[in-house]
Amino acid sequence: MAGLSLAYHPWLEKEVERGEWNPHAGLRPSYTDGIVPRVSSNARDAARITDGDPGTFWQSGAHLPEGFVARKDLNLFLRSPRCWSAPKGEDTAFADGNFHSFVTVPADSIAQLSIRFQKPQFFSLLGLKAHCSVPLLVEGEFENGDRQLLLTFTPSDNFQLKKTEVKAVFQALHLRSAQPFDLYEVAALDEEPTEWAVFDFGGAKKLGWVRARVWAGEETAYRTEVYASADSLRWDFLGELNPESTETQDLRMSPPIEARYLKIVHYLLQKDWNKVFLWEVDAYDEHGPYGPRPAPRPSSTTLAEFLGVNGYWGWGYKRYSDELPAGHGPALFARLFRHARNYHDLSWDLRRPEDSISFEAMA
């Protein structure tokens, strides 16, 4: 049994040319319509997330090999309020996110610099750019005072950002060398890197449905989370989306919540030149893009009017049904569908829906 299908026709193309075709006809406006979200990187393309086209996308910048250094949301040393301190009077240009500024650390018997943290600090990755004439050692100090060598920066590494994975908690970092050295930058990640987009609805809204296409790319993100907030300071977790799915996904909240801000966060794999995408994000109340369901009522359409079968062709016989032997083709189900309608797909042999079927003109 088959039902009536819709097909492309030439007059649809004319409607598109006249500007009369609306692909969003019947859909309710999204809270994100007209909003340019605030994004973690590459703000130039942020408007593509809310342009109504699921085929366009925002692509993030790359946090590695060096992008994280200048980002206040990723680099531990740029975070506010500051969680670390250098020796009193020491110039802190070595931790300003700028690869060109530097501090010269002099040597008496040894050149050394210590950075202490207000409380024990977890390190995921540590990066250092310097210029030295002899090896420069970087050690992490544990809470019990023991030290661990984290990185050895040699003259062959000069003027490059050298990184190492750490995955440990320290209360201080110590840099030392037998000769003076120039320290350009110390940077660190204390958690897995993220890329995100924040949407401001302009006021509190009843949020019950988030529809988004969040495919992040192949082997780029391992988790994607959705948050909402009334003030953009305290965020409530709403749920997860699949960053490996290319399809549009729905996240529904029951009961709906009051929120002004929506945030989508990709959690990235820690590798060089890793970038992620966001394609389209919409938000609605609990009724979603289609609005409240209409109240149920008895149908005015009979079963005979609703059901249908294509009885004009003799499927499998390579000829028209009126040329088939008695009892074959449509006759096989004639008794069952004698009270239903027969139909023929308009796109097969008609140019316009008001035309009559002509067996003589059939190919």
Side-chain angles (χ1 to χ4, degrees), residues 11-243:
W11 63 86
L12 292 181
E13 185 174 339
K14 294 180 181 178
E15 290 185 358
V16 174
E17 292 175 354
R18 292 197 300 265
E20 298 175 4
W21 178 255
N22 179 10
H24 305 296
L27 298 181
R28 304 168 73 209
S30 165
Y31 295 154
T32 63
D33 285 355
I35 293 176
V36 178
R38 183 167 56 92
V39 292
S40 53
S41 60
N42 191 22
R44 180 186 60 185
D45 294 334
R48 294 182 178 181
I49 307 175
T50 54
D51 62 0
D53 184 352
T56 61
F57 58 86
W58 163 78
Q59 183 181 43
S60 73
H63 66 283
L64 291 175
E66 298 180 349
F68 77 98
V69 174
R71 283 186 47 179
K72 295 180 180 180
D73 62 322
L74 293 183
N75 186 353
L76 165 66
F77 287 91
L78 297 184
R79 200 158 299 156
S80 180
R82 182 182 289 183
C83 63
W84 58 276
S85 61
K88 187 175 181 179
E90 183 68 62
D91 187 350
T92 58
F94 61 82
D96 60 359
N98 185 345
F99 281 120
H100 302 291
S101 60
F102 66 92
V103 171
T104 298
V105 180
D108 293 327
S109 59
I110 190 171
Q112 57 184 347
L113 174 70
S114 295
I115 303 171
R116 295 199 170 273
F117 299 93
Q118 295 177 2
K119 60 182 180 180
Q121 178 65 53
F122 175 78
F123 283 78
S124 175
L125 180 142
L126 177 67
L128 182 78
K129 179 182 177 181
H131 172 260
C132 59
S133 57
V134 296
L136 166 62
L137 307 181
V138 182
E139 298 174 322
E141 180 183 332
F142 295 104
E143 291 183 75
N144 62 5
D146 292 343
R147 295 188 181 188
Q148 175 184 330
L149 178 63
L150 303 178
L151 185 148
T152 300
F153 196 96
T154 67
S156 63
D157 300 317
N158 280 344
F159 304 112
Q160 303 176 63
L161 181 69
K162 187 171 184 178
K163 304 183 297 296
T164 183
E165 287 195 11
V166 181
K167 311 296 185 185
V169 176
F170 300 108
Q171 65 178 4
L173 294 178
H174 303 284
L175 291 75
R176 58 186 176 88
S177 178
Q179 296 293 329
F181 60 89
D182 295 329
L183 184 58
Y184 283 80
E185 201 66 28
V186 178
L189 292 173
D190 62 341
E191 57 188 17
E192 295 302 316
T194 59
E195 296 287 350
W196 45 264
V198 173
F199 307 83
D200 182 356
F201 302 150
K205 301 290 185 182
K206 193 177 183 182
L207 181 62
W209 192 317
V210 175
R211 168 166 286 189
R213 188 175 185 217
V214 300
W215 180 59
E218 296 183 0
E219 298 182 353
T220 57
Y222 63 90
R223 189 170 75 252
T224 300
E225 295 182 345
V226 183
Y227 295 85
S229 174
D231 55 11
S232 77
L233 299 176
R234 179 179 177 179
W235 293 93
D236 295 320
F237 175 71
L238 300 182
E240 291 190 23
L241 299 174
N242 182 2

